[in-house]
Amino acid sequence: MKPLAIVLAALLAAITSASPLSLLLIQPSCPNSNISASRASEVVSKFASAGVVPVSVPAIMPTVDLRVKYGNIPENLGNEFSALQTLQEPVIGFDPEIGYDPSTTRYTYIQVDPDAPGPELPLFRQYLHHIIYDIAPSCVPSQTPKTQARYMPLTPLSISPHRYVSLLYRQPAGAYTPPALSLLDDVARAPFNLEKYVQEAGLTLVGGNFMMEGLGSSVCGLVPGCTNSGIGYGGVGDGRAIRTDLLGGILNGLGI
């Protein structure tokens, strides 16, 4: 047997006899799989039945499974949270899309409330809660996501639960600059035109999730502007701007 053939035979023998652990160590760090067919079907079904389609997005055909966790509790297509559970910014995660290099493909995460200030009278539909861009899949160890709109805690001003919708978009290839926001950050996050923002940015929807949250009746009784009817904060008599975050509700209720 020629020397090269001997080397190749030895290498083949080493690979075929390797333990599962050694094979795991030489696998690529990023998984090579899209969202499962059953999970994708569930996302499509739940978005439609909850009215997220077409209220927030015209349609969704997910190619990644968007994971959004508050502490150790994940969003899961309409599960319910309390206001205390969502005070802290969530952790966002997802696996790579097949056909897109995870080391160079970047994504934008957007969270909106289509039911602000209350689900029965959503005057501020698509109220903006969060935008992060230049996110890479979770398996990419070194990444530098950027915050365009910092997380505003989910504090609905009604007992009737709001839908809080998390959306993941693939950014166009190359250097990316998001469209400017014509909003007063931390004071007013509405009106926010999600459709216009997505079109101007050239974003492609690849994943989504959502959860439900309303104020409990005991908490609602302590928050100025909270209503039992689901209409949400109705504003004050002098017509000043309605602010639908918790601090804004308190300030408006105090006449500040």
Side-chain angles (χ1 to χ4, degrees):
M1 184 179 290
K2 295 181 180 180
L4 179 58
I6 294 174
V7 172
L8 291 175
L11 180 60
L12 179 61
I15 292 175
T16 55
S17 63
S19 67
L21 178 59
S22 64
L23 289 176
L24 178 64
L25 293 176
I26 64 174
Q27 287 179 346
S29 59
C30 283
N32 187 25
S33 62
N34 276 8
I35 185 173
S36 69
S38 60
R39 179 62 174 179
S41 177
E42 185 182 15
V43 171
V44 172
S45 175
K46 291 294 181 66
F47 264 55
S49 63
V52 177
V53 170
V55 169
S56 290
V57 292
I60 186 169
M61 294 296 293
T63 52
V64 300
D65 190 6
L66 175 60
R67 302 184 295 271
V68 182
K69 292 185 70 175
Y70 293 89
N72 61 351
I73 307 174
E75 276 187 17
N76 191 21
L77 300 175
N79 56 330
E80 293 194 16
F81 285 75
S82 71
L84 290 178
Q85 290 173 322
T86 58
L87 288 177
Q88 299 298 316
E89 181 175 341
V91 175
I92 312 302
F94 57 95
D95 293 331
E97 290 182 273
I98 289 179
Y100 293 89
D101 184 350
S103 67
T104 58
T105 308
R106 294 295 176 263
Y107 298 82
T108 292
Y109 168 81
I110 302 176
Q111 185 185 51
V112 294
D113 173 4
D115 297 318
E120 293 180 15
L121 190 63
L123 298 175
F124 297 128
R125 181 153 280 174
Q126 314 313 348
Y127 191 89
L128 178 63
H129 278 270
H130 208 184
I131 297 181
I132 308 173
Y133 66 100
D134 281 353
I135 309 173
S138 303
C139 60
V140 177
S142 179
Q143 51 180 293
T144 55
K146 303 173 181 66
T147 299
Q148 184 179 23
R150 77 175 188 87
Y151 176 66
M152 181 174 284
L154 314 182
T155 49
L157 292 180
S158 67
I159 291 178
S160 298
H162 293 210
R163 296 163 293 181
Y164 290 94
V165 182
S166 296
L167 302 166
L168 187 71
Y169 294 88
R170 187 192 322 116
Q171 296 171 192
Y176 175 77
T177 301
L181 295 175
S182 57
L183 304 171
L184 296 176
D185 191 27
D186 300 332
V187 177
R189 293 288 187 88
F192 173 62
N193 190 327
L194 174 62
E195 182 179 7
K196 180 181 178 183
Y197 181 93
V198 168
Q199 289 178 348
E200 289 182 356
L203 300 174
T204 301
L205 182 62
V206 297
N209 212 323
F210 71 98
M211 44 83 81
M212 309 290 291
E213 184 178 309
L215 290 183
S217 57
S218 58
V219 176
C220 185
L222 300 175
V223 178
C226 183
T227 67
N228 295 329
S229 66
I231 293 176
Y233 182 62
V236 291
D238 62 3
R240 73 187 67 182
I242 300 174
R243 292 175 286 184
T244 59
D245 58 287
L246 179 58
L247 177 59
I250 294 173
L251 294 178
N252 279 325
L254 294 175
I256 297 175

